[in-house]
Amino acid sequence: MDEMRAREVLTAAGLPGGAELLALGENAVFAVGDLVVKTGRDATHHPELRERAEREVAVARWLAASGVPAVRAAEPTARLVEGHPVTVWHRLPDAVRPSEPRDLAPLLTQVHALPAPEGFTLPRRELLGGVERWLRLAGDAIDPADADYLRGRRDGFAKAAAALAPHLPPGPIHGDALPRNVHVGPEGAVLVDLETFSFDLREHDLVVLALSRDRYGLPSDAYDAFTEAYGWDVRAWEGCAVLRGARETASCAWVSQHAPANPKALAEFRRRVASLRQDDPEVRWYPF
């Protein structure tokens, strides 16, 4: 999905096609006055995309009822517009500063203290569930041997993850616990991007920043501030390497889908796969 198609969906939904584009990735996110509109990819052949959008709205209602600071839905359910799921949200006040890892820790503490929601079911964290779709979207733009390599890693890490013994009790998790998914407004920090909420190992939410420290240049002192605020460092857990490897595999496959139209994405994909093949955990990965 490109920006042009996303704007067509906005227009079909009766919303201004000239809205400000805030982000374009798995979803296209637009500002429309006091609202934010999130347009998903075509769900005609991927019903899980519509289910994910509907669940994100349900999660927002549940977090509001539970007193967890998070973005709030402006409509009670997701729309389906020309095959695309569309959700509408209250726009947050402007940020007073960039979010930091230390802002994330107390929010995760609140989420991790919650029991399972009533009225709907959170899925398992299918971290590797999108790998096949992303590789198919990459098509001939990537080396078939690289695609097969990532499929093999996916299968191996999925099996290893299923056998893990957790340190923390399983329960609700955010699923993509990064500072970019925290907004620090005048009244404090709130969680955003709720579509990956799951019921699974709490360690999933903690491995994300450990990987950010090793692969994406997160400073050690920022990581240490996060673990101090949360109260535990997931790197002390013997299963950390398994969840890290699964996340690295998913991250590589996610980049691949952008390779057909973006030479920088293709170059970054090749860098990442090469570092995995060489078993080099210190090669820096970059946005594109």
Side-chain angles (χ1 to χ4, degrees):
M1 179 179 65
D2 58 19
E3 181 179 349
M4 180 179 296
R5 177 56 185 152
R7 290 190 181 279
E8 291 172 350
V9 174
L10 270 187
T11 301
L15 298 165
E20 177 190 358
L21 179 67
L22 301 177
L24 182 63
E26 276 292 290
N27 303 286
V29 184
F30 296 93
V32 182
D34 293 333
L35 301 174
V36 169
V37 180
K38 182 184 292 188
T39 301
R41 296 177 182 272
D42 191 343
T44 302
H45 301 294
H46 297 282
E48 71 277 6
L49 298 180
R50 181 180 183 181
E51 294 167 4
R52 185 171 66 183
E54 292 173 342
R55 185 170 56 249
E56 184 178 20
V57 175
V59 166
R61 292 197 305 267
W62 168 58
L63 293 179
S66 301
V68 177
V71 65
R72 305 305 187 202
E75 295 186 353
T77 188
R79 307 186 197 182
L80 190 66
V81 181
E82 296 185 348
H84 294 257
V86 174
T87 53
V88 184
W89 305 84
H90 292 292
R91 189 171 186 177
L92 295 169
D94 290 342
V96 297
R97 61 172 174 81
S99 59
E100 301 176 21
R102 62 184 174 88
D103 299 312
L104 181 60
L107 294 170
L108 289 184
T109 298
Q110 291 183 68
V111 170
H112 293 177
L114 294 175
E118 298 180 0
F120 69 100
T121 301
L122 291 173
R124 296 291 301 273
R125 179 65 174 109
E126 295 294 343
L127 185 61
L128 298 163
V131 168
E132 187 62 32
R133 179 168 62 89
W134 296 326
L135 293 176
R136 288 183 178 179
L137 287 170
D140 296 336
I142 64 173
D143 188 332
D146 286 341
D148 288 342
Y149 172 71
L150 290 178
R151 290 185 178 104
R153 279 182 61 97
R154 172 199 62 195
D155 296 344
F157 280 113
K159 182 177 180 180
L164 288 176
H167 173 78
L168 303 172
I173 60 173
H174 180 277
D176 194 24
L178 285 165
R180 71 182 183 212
N181 289 329
V182 174
H183 181 92
V184 183
E187 297 183 5
V190 301
L191 284 172
V192 300
D193 287 345
L194 311 177
E195 64 184 11
T196 54
F197 254 78
S198 312
F199 189 100
D200 213 313
L201 305 185
R202 259 70 185 249
E203 287 84 354
H204 274 292
D205 274 347
L206 307 178
V207 166
V208 182
L209 278 183
L211 181 58
S212 295
R213 177 187 182 277
D214 297 338
R215 285 289 195 199
Y216 298 104
L218 178 69
S220 295
D221 57 350
Y223 179 78
D224 293 343
F226 168 79
T227 58
E228 181 178 354
Y230 186 83
W232 183 60
D233 188 341
V234 71
R235 295 178 301 167
W237 175 54
E238 61 183 8
C240 181
V242 173
L243 292 190
R244 172 192 162 126
R247 192 165 189 93
E248 286 176 319
T249 303
S251 296
C252 280
W254 182 85
V255 172
S256 75
Q257 68 181 317
H258 299 283
N262 188 332
K264 291 183 178 180
L266 177 58
E268 179 62 18
F269 172 76
R270 289 171 174 167
R271 271 178 51 80
R272 294 185 184 194
V273 172
S275 70
L276 294 180
R277 287 185 180 276
Q278 295 162 10
D279 195 24
D280 189 340
E282 297 182 357
V283 171
R284 176 80 181 272
W285 291 1
Y286 297 93
F288 54 89

